[in-house]
Amino acid sequence: MGLKDEHAAFEYIQWQPLYLEEKPYEIFMQIPEDLPHIRRTNLVFGRVHEQLVEDVRGREEQYRLNEHGFQVLRAPTSFADFASKEAVEDVYLPECIQLLKDNVEDVDRVFFFNWRLRNGDMSLQKKKFDLNNPTSTVVPAIYAHVDESFKGAYARVQEYMKGETEALLKGRLRLINIWRPLKPVEEWPLAFCDGRTVKRDDLIASDNIRSKYIGENLFAKYSPDYRWHYISDQKPDEVTLLKIFDSKDGVTKQTPHAAFKLSNPKPNPAFRESIEVRALVFTNPS
């Protein structure tokens, strides 16, 4: 047990008979006005039971990507210009490459296919955001999910590594998220589930439909077997690595994750601000 263990009722996908005929999906683009019958999504979520969320503070070194699917690192940065897309991509992303090489085994090549700023001001849910602009902030993701399915992971390689896909996939492929708060976290911390407690049947694939790309992610159904974790009072010099996919056998493949509401937050907590960077990590074939 940790110093500040919590209990939270996570938002899980609710199985619908409709899914036998219509795959779960969400549309992230403007629906034409002449197609008013098209629904933006058929996803249904709900809270089931409160579950223990164990604080890893003081025990960070016990948790490793290969075994648990997540890892918490101390990784100070002097970079602060997160509002600038150019600065992030010129300065911060190269830092992230070095962070991965220093802390993850067998990293031969890294390609960042996506990054995004998030803000805990939930009123932003009503505001339109630009998917093509990573500095256009979105609210914390409160649904237990994995950013890419197995199919989605390989689709990312095919989308971004054209001409190299066959050669790259002869080696190991991992998708790893690098999550960093931009200020001390006082509300909506990020929780991550021990990947060893997640069965393949616990996850439901869903299509992400965009104007130029259709991806596939995973949403978790409720299971009493899940073991959830977080790090209390996470600071900007503390980074969480999340395993989204791994082609290697004998290791944890992915970790569902979600933000959750603290049971006893500080009075008038500051809105959470964070950046997440999504990486394709390649290992050369042996």
Side-chain angles (χ1 to χ4, degrees):
M1 296 292 183
L3 295 174
K4 293 185 178 181
D5 290 350
E6 288 276 340
H7 284 84
F10 291 98
E11 291 273 1
Y12 291 110
I13 192 168
Q14 306 291 296
W15 174 259
Q16 306 295 307
L18 170 67
Y19 297 158
L20 294 172
E21 302 175 359
E22 182 179 88
K23 184 178 177 180
Y25 73 88
E26 189 167 11
I27 297 174
F28 293 93
M29 62 185 218
Q30 189 67 35
I31 297 175
E33 294 182 0
D34 60 344
L35 297 174
H37 62 286
I38 300 295
R39 293 169 296 159
R40 186 164 295 280
T41 182
N42 65 359
L43 297 173
V44 179
F45 296 94
R47 294 184 175 92
V48 184
H49 299 289
E50 283 198 345
Q51 293 174 281
L52 175 67
V53 187
E54 296 182 54
D55 184 7
V56 305
R57 172 72 64 192
R59 301 178 293 125
E60 295 92 332
E61 294 184 0
Q62 297 179 18
Y63 300 94
R64 312 297 295 177
L65 273 180
N66 278 342
E67 184 177 358
H68 304 91
F70 65 87
Q71 191 168 336
V72 179
L73 306 169
R74 188 173 184 279
T77 179
S78 59
F79 182 78
D81 193 10
F82 291 99
S84 168
K85 180 178 182 292
E86 293 75 17
V88 169
E89 295 179 352
D90 290 343
V91 180
Y92 183 66
L93 295 192
E95 282 189 18
C96 289
I97 292 176
Q98 193 59 50
L99 184 149
L100 289 171
K101 289 186 174 181
D102 289 344
N103 294 281
V104 179
E105 82 283 357
D106 303 326
V107 175
D108 292 317
R109 184 171 174 183
V110 177
F111 179 83
F112 298 114
F113 64 90
N114 185 281
W115 63 272
R116 173 69 59 188
L117 297 181
R118 291 188 184 271
N119 188 298
D121 180 357
M122 288 304 187
S123 68
L124 294 174
Q125 284 179 306
K126 302 175 183 178
K127 176 184 173 183
K128 289 185 178 181
F129 64 93
D130 183 358
L131 277 174
N132 296 313
N133 178 8
T135 65
S136 178
T137 56
V138 296
V139 298
I142 62 173
Y143 307 108
H145 70 286
V146 181
D147 293 13
E148 303 287 343
S149 66
F150 289 14
K151 175 183 174 182
Y154 286 110
R156 291 291 187 184
V157 179
Q158 293 166 350
E159 173 72 12
Y160 294 106
M161 314 304 288
K162 289 181 172 64
E164 301 180 79
T165 300
E166 184 176 353
L168 289 170
L169 293 182
K170 289 180 180 178
R172 182 181 182 183
L173 167 65
R174 281 166 288 184
L175 272 69
I176 298 174
N177 284 9
I178 304 168
W179 192 92
R180 181 191 296 273
L182 305 186
K183 61 173 67 170
V185 176
E186 298 181 358
E187 57 144 20
W188 295 107
L190 180 68
F192 21 90
C193 188
D194 186 333
R196 300 172 302 173
T197 67
V198 182
K199 303 180 182 69
R200 288 288 294 272
D201 290 345
D202 292 332
L203 303 171
I204 296 178
S206 175
D207 282 341
N208 290 317
I209 302 170
R210 308 186 183 194
S211 58
K212 297 181 180 179
Y213 183 79
I214 298 178
E216 186 180 76
N217 65 351
L218 300 168
F219 289 105
K221 297 183 293 182
Y222 168 77
S223 169
D225 297 331
Y226 295 155
R227 290 193 63 180
W228 285 96
H229 304 266
Y230 85 115
I231 181 165
S232 59
D233 306 310
Q234 188 169 359
K235 299 173 179 60
D237 64 354
E238 295 173 316
V239 166
T240 303
L241 302 183
L242 300 171
K243 177 89 72 71
I244 304 302
F245 172 78
D246 196 332
S247 65
K248 183 176 181 178
D249 293 330
V251 299
T252 292
K253 296 289 187 180
Q254 72 269 308
T255 178
H257 50 282
F260 71 99
K261 194 172 182 62
L262 290 171
S263 59
N264 189 26
K266 295 179 180 179
N268 301 311
F271 291 132
R272 195 198 86 184
E273 295 180 20
S274 60
I275 182 171
E276 60 193 66
V277 177
R278 297 168 179 164
L280 298 172
V281 179
F282 299 99
T283 301
N284 297 332
S286 55

